[in-house]
Amino acid sequence: MRCRFLIILAAIIGPRLCLADAAIEGSVQLPKEHAALVMNKRYEIVAKGGVLAPMPPLAVIYLEGSFPKPNVSATKQMSQKDLAFVPVLLPVQVGTRVEFPNLDDTYHNIFSFSPAKRFDLGRYRSDERPIPSVLFDVPGLVTVRCDIHEHMRALILVLDAPFFTMSDSDGRFRLSGLRPGHYTLKAWLTSKTTREQPVNLTNGSTLKVNFP
């Protein structure tokens, strides 16, 4: 009886698993670094001419298309450590709750005036419990600041897409576990620059995509 149940279960689940084995890999040509970078290569958010971007450069690559809505909300973290946000760029899916733990021996006051999410967590120390958090339920770019330490700045990119990843420092990326179909692959580089390419994924394939 158990053997028969396992056979039926494999017949139901097997084809679904096979439909999610496409992948995309490639590279994004990242913006050139500015000369005035911190020598230890610690990531930060810089503003130039009203454009926000991570330095050294990074890209967020994501797949746009028709996907089912998530049933369970995820939780991510953006820490405050050594008077800086870690990470400084955080991509999340719509419906994700982000916690902001304070790992410094001082107060922080995290806030944002971005249209996609306005909030002010007030002043809190490292022993604050529960950890202050915010639910990001609208897609868009959110600039996160500290009201006490003016140099602190980070970005949360809220995506209406379940498949996304960060590039490495050379612009290389890989997305896997994708279903076959027609989609739009996008590469976010700055608050004003997002590149895109249409892609057609077939079952079991690995598509090579390079953004110039």
Side-chain angles (χ1 to χ4, degrees):
M1 188 69 179
R2 182 181 180 185
C3 182
R4 182 181 177 184
F5 171 76
L6 292 176
I7 293 174
I8 295 174
L9 185 64
I12 295 174
I13 298 177
R16 295 182 181 180
L17 294 177
C18 293
L19 288 175
D21 63 354
I24 304 174
E25 62 181 28
S27 64
V28 181
Q29 184 175 333
L30 299 175
K32 293 182 179 180
E33 298 182 10
H34 298 295
L37 276 179
V38 180
M39 294 305 295
N40 64 7
K41 289 289 185 180
R42 185 172 72 176
Y43 280 91
E44 59 181 346
I45 299 299
V46 298
K48 185 178 182 180
V51 178
L52 297 172
M55 279 294 160
L58 287 172
V60 177
I61 300 89
Y62 58 100
L63 200 63
E64 276 196 350
S66 179
F67 302 106
K69 298 296 181 182
N71 294 324
V72 180
S73 61
T75 299
K76 301 292 183 180
Q77 283 195 343
M78 175 177 280
S79 303
Q80 302 131 65
K81 185 177 181 181
D82 299 328
L83 302 184
F85 288 107
V86 182
V88 297
L89 175 60
L90 178 66
V92 299
Q93 188 176 3
V94 169
T96 299
R97 180 170 292 277
V98 177
E99 297 178 338
F100 296 91
N102 181 359
L103 305 183
D104 289 327
D105 189 22
T106 185
Y107 281 95
H108 284 296
N109 186 347
I110 310 308
F111 73 97
S112 177
F113 292 148
S114 299
K117 196 66 179 183
R118 296 175 181 267
F119 64 90
D120 189 337
L121 296 178
R123 296 191 176 199
Y124 61 97
R125 301 187 305 182
S126 58
D127 57 356
E128 184 79 15
R129 293 296 182 274
I131 298 174
S133 65
V134 177
L135 178 66
F136 291 87
D137 49 3
V138 176
L141 185 65
V142 179
T143 303
V144 182
R145 304 291 296 265
C146 178
D147 191 42
I148 303 174
H149 308 96
E150 295 184 0
H151 70 280
M152 292 177 60
R153 179 161 45 193
L155 297 175
I156 297 178
L157 183 60
V158 187
L159 303 169
D160 194 12
F163 298 104
F164 53 87
T165 189
M166 299 275 292
S167 74
D168 64 15
S169 59
D170 294 319
R172 295 186 296 261
F173 69 89
R174 178 179 174 85
L175 279 171
S176 58
L178 308 175
R179 288 178 175 270
H182 299 280
Y183 304 98
T184 300
L185 185 68
K186 294 190 173 184
W188 182 95
L189 295 169
T190 73
S191 60
K192 299 293 185 182
T193 304
T194 300
R195 299 170 185 164
E196 64 179 63
Q197 290 190 32
V199 294
N200 182 28
L201 300 180
T202 57
N203 192 30
S205 66
T206 297
L207 184 66
K208 305 286 186 179
V209 176
N210 295 317
F211 288 93

